[in-house]
């Protein structure tokens, strides 16, 4: 699929498409997607055409498919899981006399679409001249409710804008299952499994309401979609409803007099279950429809705005000096909120619910990139996401047993909780996901002091992940506690010994599990944790191997990494990136070439384990060897660049992370947004230029701004308090909006913040030599606006 580079006018609180650009159509479908963590609707047109990927998704709803292997091996997962494009309720087809409204035909006189970040809706206005010579204006407003988990709605209005007499129009409002969608999967078995994944079980239509119930063939999950309508018409009309198999259709035919208009509001409800019957799901959806219709369109819109007003009041990042970056950061935060707000014990996929990329799987991205943002802006969403991880513990325990380990081995990629990665080196061997989950648990606990969560979910997650590390590693008389045969975040250096990121994150996991045992002795007793086991955890943590190259004065990403042959970057053409698509893994694994921030990410997430001098040396060394062939890299490199004095470089990486999808920098945004990279817009602002760290339950800040930014203000929620931080080139101002005084550190100085402004000077950054990137891998710098 060829994708263009989208362009949008610069607006502080919205994103607008002006005119129709076919080359950017798929990207716009992703960028204009509306989701709430349960329902996801891509930004395709109500009329169904033109379209690239007409996606509607339900979080956690998938079909199974066999995984292909050239050679089978013990412990290889057998079944893959793919998110299903479920029943499409967005469709409202318009016929102007006998001409269907299709933006590829007739003449577009004017067309705009706007994603309103404050109202949480997608607005569209199109004035169109039909092939038959009639002129109409179509306006629509689409909403996926952040307040009502199962509800979406569309207001669709048709206005007659010519003076050629009465106009007869027809609207066909559909529920359509088993839509044809493009696939790029080379495995014919996967294509066959997903060709028509939904089997019809029930179809009911009466009045203006219809419900379709379907079940997947292999995973045996059942879903229901329902629609109901209200109408405002100027003159005579006829109505009809039909429902059968894969299609339900409400048809409205009406006469519009000159200067007149008609309006239809379409209410949608979705639900799914692995256990409930078809009639039970139908009843659930019909009840949700009834309450949404009773509330009415205006109330749904008002609820959406009120929820977002509160969110932005607690979470907004204000940037002065770069309007394009301001817009991008807010767009990213909006999509992160959409991805996680109403997941309610379902995973947060890498693409959210904005497209079919990565089959709809969740990875470590969730805990390491997305949950840190939500921890300080929407902590209840983090609680739900971690409760989903906890609900999969039995599957993770089973996976550990298959691998001959103790504790829990969480999957590298999954939808329901089973491991579905068919590539061992970058899947099963990437055990660091267990410590990433533990890190998210600890961060949430420190930020909220949620004792119920700690008792019922968090402590068990920490204990079972600690058990995994204790059984995966071993004590060595020469090197301490080693963790061998693993893959860190850098998938270009696979199945290695003592990956520093993995070892340091495991170290924190082991220590925090021991602390949780002290806090929750009853949980520890239920899980048969004895003092000897805790002693092993603490001993392993204290003796954790952290490879260091004394000759070069840097940490090794993993054992002997700095002794590998250097990659020949000078003779690697730009078109050969990403390397994994142009060179054999055998060649990549043997060289000093890094796909994405790995040890550099340890400098951020385990910054308490390094001195500033070590961070400066390590960053310079690995910057020269990192290709950033992953969208996960730029934000982490930006955070560490800012801390180590490379403020301009951090600024460039910030823009790359925040604009990844708005500028389609990886040429695949049409398959769904890069939610982790979008989260990076907030992360670089708050952790990079705000210098916020949360090591060991202590909130610290070390703010510094790049030259271009004249002022930045951000807000975080911490232990029930709302803290506002304002940064200018020379000073930082801290203020609590509510709650008891809060102890923090500012550039190492401990202070207590209350409800009055605390203004502190910002020391100059460390003086460092410039760093370089591999040829062709420099940050994607923008033309300065």
């Amino acid at each position: 699929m060829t994708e263009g580079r989208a362009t949008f006018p610069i607006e502080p609180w919205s994103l607008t498409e002006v005119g129709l650009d076919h080359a950017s159509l798929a990207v716009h479908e992703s960028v204009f997607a509306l989701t709430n963590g349960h329902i996801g609707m891509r930004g395709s047109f109500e009329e169904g055409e033109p379209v690239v990927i007409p996606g509607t998704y339900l979080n956690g709803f998938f079909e199974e498919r066999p995984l292909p292997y050239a050679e089978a091996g013990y412990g290889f997962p057998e079944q893959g899981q793919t998110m299903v494009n479920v029943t499409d309720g967005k469709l409202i087809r318009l016929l102007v006399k006998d001409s269907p409204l299709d933006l590829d035909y007739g003449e577009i006189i004017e067309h705009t679409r706007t994603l309103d970040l404050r109202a949480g809706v997608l607005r569209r206005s199109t004035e169109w001249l039909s092939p038959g010579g009639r002129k109409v204006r179509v306006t629509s407003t689409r909403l996926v409710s952040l307040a009502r988990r199962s509800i979406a709605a569309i207001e669709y209005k048709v206005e007659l804008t010519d003076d050629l007499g009465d106009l007869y129009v027809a609207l066909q409002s559909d529920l359509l299952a088993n839509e044809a969608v493009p696939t790029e999967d080379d495995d014919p078995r996967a294509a066959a499994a997903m060709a028509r994944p939904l089997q019809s079980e029930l179809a009911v239509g009466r009045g203006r309401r219809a419900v379709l119930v379907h079940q997947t063939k292999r995973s045996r999950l059942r879903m229901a979609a329902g629609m109901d309508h209200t109408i405002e018409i100027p003159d005579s009309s006829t109505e009809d409803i039909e429902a059968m198999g894969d299609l339900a259709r409400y048809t409205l035919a009406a006469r519009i007099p000159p200067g007149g208009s008609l309006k239809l509001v379409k209410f949608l409800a979705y639900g799914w279950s692995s256990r409930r019957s078809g009639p039970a799901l139908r009843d659930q959806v019909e009840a949700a429809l009834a309450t949404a219709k009773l509330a009415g369109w205006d109330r749904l819109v008002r609820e959406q705005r009120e929820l977002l007003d509160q969110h932005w009041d607690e979470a907004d990042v204000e940037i002065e000096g770069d309007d394009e970056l301001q817009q991008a950061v807010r767009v990213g935060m909006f999509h992160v909120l959409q991805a996680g707000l109403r997941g309610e014990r379902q995973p947060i996929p890498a693409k959210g619910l904005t497209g079919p990329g990565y089959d709809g799987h969740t990875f470590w991205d969730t805990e390491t990139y997305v949950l840190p943002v939500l921890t300080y802006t929407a902590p209840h969403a983090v609680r739900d996401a971690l409760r989903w991880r906890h609900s999969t513990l039995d599957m993770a325990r089973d996976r550990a047993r298959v691998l001959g380990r103790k504790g829990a081995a969480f999957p590298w990629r999954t939808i329901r909780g089973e491991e579905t990665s068919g590539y061992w080196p970058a899947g099963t061997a990437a055990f660091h996901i267990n410590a990433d989950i533990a890190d998210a648990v600890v961060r949430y606990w420190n930020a909220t002091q949620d004792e119920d969560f700690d008792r019922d979910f968090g402590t068990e997650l920490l204990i079972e992940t600690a058990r995994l590390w204790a059984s995966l590693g071993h004590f060595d008389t020469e090197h301490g506690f080693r963790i061998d045969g693993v893959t860190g975040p850098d998938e270009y250096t696979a199945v290695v010994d003592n990956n520093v990121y993995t070892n340091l994150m495991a170290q924190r996991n082991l220590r925090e599990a021991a602390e949780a045992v002290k806090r929750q002795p009853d949980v520890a007793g239920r899980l048969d944790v004895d003092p000897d086991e805790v002693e092993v955890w603490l001993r392993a943590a204290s003796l954790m191997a952290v490879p260091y190259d004394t000759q070069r004065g840097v940490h090794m990403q993993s054992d002997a990494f700095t002794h590998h042959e250097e990659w020949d970057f000078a003779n690697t053409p730009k078109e050969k990136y990403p390397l994994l698509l142009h060179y054999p893994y055998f060649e990549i694994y043997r060289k000093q070439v890094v796909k994405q921030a790995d040890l550099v990410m340890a400098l951020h997430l385990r910054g308490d384990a390094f001195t500033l001098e070590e961070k400066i040396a390590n960053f310079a060394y690995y910057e020269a060897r990192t290709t950033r062939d992953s969208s996960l890299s730029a934000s982490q490199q930006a955070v560490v660049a800012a801390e180590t004095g490379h403020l301009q470089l951090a600024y460039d990486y910030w823009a790359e992370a925040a604009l990844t999808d708005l500028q389609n920098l990886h040429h695949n945004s049409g398959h769904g947004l890069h939610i982790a990279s979008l989260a990076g817009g907030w992360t670089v602002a708050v952790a990079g230029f705000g210098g916020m760290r949360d090591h060991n339950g202590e909130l610290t800040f070390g703010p510094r701004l790049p030259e271009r930014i004249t002022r930045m203000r951000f807000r975080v929620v911490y232990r029930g308090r709302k803290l506002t931080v304002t940064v200018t080139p020379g000073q930082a101002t801290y203020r609590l909006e509510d709650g008891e005084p809060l102890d923090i550190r500012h550039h190492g100085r401990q202070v207590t913040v209350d409800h009055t402004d605390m203004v502190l000077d910002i020391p100059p950054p460390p003086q460092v030599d410039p760093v370089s990137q591999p040829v062709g891998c420099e940050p994607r710098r923008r033309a300065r606006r």
Side-chain angles (χ1 to χ4, degrees):
M1 181 175 67
T2 301
E3 295 182 6
R5 173 171 170 157
T7 56
F8 302 96
I10 305 304
E11 304 162 314
W13 284 105
S14 60
L15 195 68
T16 298
E17 164 190 271
V18 180
L20 183 66
D21 177 9
H22 283 81
S24 299
L25 194 60
V27 177
H28 287 206
E29 289 171 357
S30 297
V31 169
F32 289 140
L34 293 179
T35 84
N36 64 5
H38 172 59
I39 305 168
M41 292 183 169
R42 281 176 61 81
S44 51
F45 292 105
E46 284 86 5
E47 297 80 23
E49 298 287 346
V51 65
V52 179
I53 303 175
T56 303
Y57 312 105
L58 295 179
N59 196 353
F61 191 84
F62 67 93
E63 179 61 306
E64 292 178 341
R65 58 183 179 83
L67 286 175
Y69 294 104
E71 294 184 22
Y74 175 79
F76 284 16
E78 296 180 358
Q79 296 293 329
Q81 298 169 353
T82 298
M83 182 171 65
V84 172
N85 177 39
V86 300
T87 307
D88 190 350
K90 302 186 298 293
L91 297 171
I92 304 173
R93 304 182 192 278
L94 171 65
L95 279 81
V96 177
K97 294 185 66 174
D98 58 353
S99 300
L101 193 157
D102 183 333
L103 299 188
D104 281 339
Y105 300 95
E107 179 185 345
I108 301 174
I109 299 171
E110 182 183 67
H111 169 76
T112 61
R113 281 194 297 174
T114 299
L115 179 65
D116 187 325
L117 305 177
R118 300 200 72 125
V121 298
L122 177 64
R123 296 192 180 94
R124 170 268 189 101
S125 176
T126 302
E127 189 168 15
W128 181 71
L129 180 66
S130 76
R134 299 308 303 266
K135 190 187 303 181
V136 295
R137 179 180 298 278
V138 173
T139 56
S140 68
T141 304
R142 185 183 304 175
L143 174 151
V144 174
S145 178
L146 297 171
R148 302 173 185 239
R149 184 171 185 260
S150 60
I151 296 299
I154 303 170
E155 182 187 66
Y156 192 91
K157 186 176 181 181
V158 182
E159 300 174 87
L160 180 56
T161 57
D162 63 33
D163 56 2
L164 301 179
D166 291 351
L167 177 66
Y168 288 85
V169 300
L171 292 179
Q172 294 175 328
S173 175
D174 290 355
L175 295 174
L176 177 62
N178 287 317
E179 274 178 308
V181 294
T183 177
E184 297 186 1
D185 199 315
D186 295 330
D187 178 16
R189 293 173 298 177
M194 299 307 297
R196 293 182 61 83
L198 298 174
Q199 295 178 314
S200 175
E201 286 196 339
L202 191 63
V204 179
R206 62 182 181 276
R208 296 171 180 167
R209 179 181 299 177
V211 177
L212 298 182
V213 179
H214 286 80
Q215 188 176 49
T216 55
K217 300 172 186 176
R218 294 172 62 94
S219 62
R220 309 305 294 172
L221 303 180
R222 185 177 281 113
M223 59 87 50
M227 65 178 179
D228 204 345
H229 305 80
T230 61
I231 61 172
E232 295 179 13
I233 52 177
D235 206 331
S236 58
S237 67
T238 63
E239 300 175 68
D240 186 44
I241 191 83
E242 58 180 323
M244 63 183 72
D246 290 345
L247 176 67
R249 172 170 292 169
Y250 167 71
T251 302
L252 171 68
R255 183 177 65 188
I256 305 178
S261 65
L262 70 83
K263 183 171 70 175
L264 176 143
V265 175
K266 182 176 189 177
F267 300 93
L268 293 162
Y270 287 89
W272 74 267
S273 175
S274 60
R275 296 184 298 272
R276 304 191 72 196
S277 67
L281 272 179
R282 176 201 62 200
D283 294 346
Q284 173 187 326
V285 162
E286 287 196 333
L289 276 175
T291 58
K293 188 175 181 181
L294 177 64
W297 170 257
D298 290 342
R299 179 161 184 162
L300 294 181
V301 172
R302 186 168 65 252
E303 290 174 349
Q304 193 89 333
R305 177 62 186 244
E306 289 171 352
L307 186 150
L308 283 167
D309 281 347
Q310 180 179 347
H311 172 71
W312 291 118
D313 183 59
E314 296 175 346
D316 189 27
V317 174
E318 302 172 40
I319 302 165
E320 295 182 7
D322 191 330
D323 293 341
E324 183 180 40
L325 195 54
Q326 172 71 87
Q327 179 189 45
V329 169
R330 283 181 175 145
V331 169
M333 292 178 66
F334 177 76
H335 279 295
V336 169
L337 180 73
Q338 287 198 127
L341 186 64
R342 301 307 302 270
E344 297 182 11
R345 284 168 278 173
Q346 290 296 336
I348 299 176
K351 299 290 187 181
L353 299 175
T354 67
Y358 294 124
D359 285 331
H361 290 173
T362 189
F363 298 77
W364 67 296
D365 310 15
T366 295
E367 282 78 15
T368 303
Y369 288 79
V370 179
L371 294 194
V373 179
L374 295 174
T375 295
Y376 300 105
T377 60
H380 58 284
V382 178
R383 190 180 204 273
D384 284 341
L386 293 174
R387 286 189 67 183
W388 170 75
R389 281 291 189 191
H390 183 271
S391 75
T392 69
L393 251 177
D394 284 343
M395 284 180 272
R397 289 184 180 111
D398 290 343
R399 181 65 173 162
R401 299 297 88 75
V402 168
L403 300 174
R405 304 297 102 189
K406 296 180 181 179
F410 283 96
W412 175 243
R413 61 186 300 169
T414 190
I415 294 178
R416 184 167 57 190
E418 302 95 336
E419 178 62 81
T420 62
S421 173
Y423 186 60
W424 185 281
T428 296
F431 286 101
H432 67 84
I433 189 170
N434 294 274
D436 300 328
I437 292 168
D439 185 56
V441 169
V442 172
R443 179 176 292 107
Y444 175 77
W445 160 249
N446 286 332
T448 65
Q449 300 290 283
D450 184 342
E451 294 184 3
D452 290 342
F453 173 84
D454 187 48
R455 179 190 65 244
D456 298 337
F457 309 105
T459 293
E460 189 170 8
L461 285 167
L462 292 173
I463 288 172
E464 294 295 9
T465 48
R467 283 173 164 167
L468 184 280
W469 297 118
S471 70
L472 186 64
H474 69 280
F475 291 98
D476 177 78
T477 55
E478 184 177 355
H479 299 105
F481 188 77
R482 300 176 56 90
I483 303 176
D484 297 333
V486 301
T487 299
D490 172 25
E491 295 159 16
Y492 284 176
T493 313
V495 193
V496 297
D497 298 340
N498 293 317
N499 171 256
V500 168
Y501 174 85
T502 301
N503 283 19
L504 288 177
M505 295 295 283
Q507 181 187 62
R508 172 179 285 170
N509 191 167
L510 291 161
R511 288 173 174 164
E512 293 290 349
E515 289 298 315
V517 166
K518 291 180 186 177
R519 290 194 306 269
Q520 302 291 347
D522 290 345
V523 177
R526 176 171 60 82
L527 297 175
D528 297 321
V529 180
D530 60 43
D532 290 342
E533 184 176 17
V534 175
E535 179 58 33
V536 170
W537 298 347
L538 294 174
R539 181 167 171 255
S542 66
L543 295 175
M544 187 65 70
V546 182
Y548 186 80
D549 186 331
T550 55
Q551 181 179 353
R552 294 170 177 80
V554 297
H555 286 83
M556 301 181 191
Q557 183 172 284
S558 54
D559 277 356
F561 178 85
T562 54
H563 301 297
H564 291 181
E565 185 179 355
E566 297 277 6
W567 185 272
D568 186 2
F569 290 109
N571 291 306
T572 302
K574 188 173 184 178
E575 61 270 18
K576 293 294 186 179
Y577 295 99
L579 300 182
L580 77 165
L581 299 182
H582 300 93
Y583 298 92
Y585 272 121
F586 166 75
E587 188 67 15
I588 295 172
Y589 287 168
R590 304 166 57 237
K591 302 291 181 64
Q592 287 193 58
V593 57
V594 181
K595 180 182 180 183
Q596 64 199 66
D598 185 307
L599 188 137
V600 166
M601 188 156 61
L603 303 179
H604 171 203
L605 297 182
R606 282 303 318 274
D608 54 324
F610 302 89
T611 66
L612 178 60
E613 291 72 24
E614 288 173 336
K615 292 176 184 178
I616 291 170
N618 284 329
F619 180 74
Y621 188 86
Y622 287 96
E623 184 72 4
R625 291 160 177 80
T626 301
T627 64
R628 292 190 346 281
D629 284 347
S630 166
S631 64
L632 298 179
S633 198
S635 63
Q636 295 295 331
Q637 287 174 274
V639 169
V640 180
E643 184 178 6
T644 55
H646 303 282
L647 296 176
Q648 180 60 45
L649 178 61
Y651 174 67
D652 290 332
Y653 279 142
W654 188 15
E656 181 175 318
L659 291 164
T660 287
D661 291 310
L662 295 187
Q663 296 187 355
N664 194 21
L665 297 180
H666 291 265
H667 310 292
N668 59 6
S669 295
H671 287 274
L673 302 178
H674 300 76
I675 299 297
S677 186
L678 295 180
W682 181 95
T683 300
V684 180
V686 175
F689 296 112
M692 190 178 90
R693 299 292 185 273
D694 51 11
H695 303 312
N696 306 311
E698 183 181 38
L699 206 57
T700 66
F701 297 88
R704 289 189 181 97
L705 292 182
E707 182 178 350
R708 176 72 183 274
I709 304 303
T710 57
R711 179 178 176 272
M712 181 177 73
R713 173 178 289 175
F714 60 88
R715 302 165 178 88
V716 294
V717 177
Y718 188 76
R719 298 185 181 179
R721 307 165 174 92
K722 184 171 69 177
L723 174 66
T724 299
V725 182
T726 305
V727 188
T728 59
Q731 293 181 322
T733 303
Y734 302 91
R735 181 188 180 96
L736 274 184
E737 304 300 327
D738 47 37
E740 297 296 318
L742 178 66
D743 291 335
I744 65 169
R745 287 186 181 273
H746 167 84
H747 284 286
R749 173 187 170 188
Q750 184 167 340
V751 297
T752 300
V753 182
D754 57 22
H755 301 149
T756 60
D757 287 349
M758 173 169 284
V759 182
L760 301 172
D761 291 337
I762 295 175
Q767 297 301 303
V768 292
D769 294 329
V771 296
S772 61
Q773 299 78 36
V775 176
C777 299
E778 300 83 1
R780 296 172 172 90
R781 294 178 173 87
R782 301 169 294 154
R784 300 290 180 247
R785 287 183 177 270

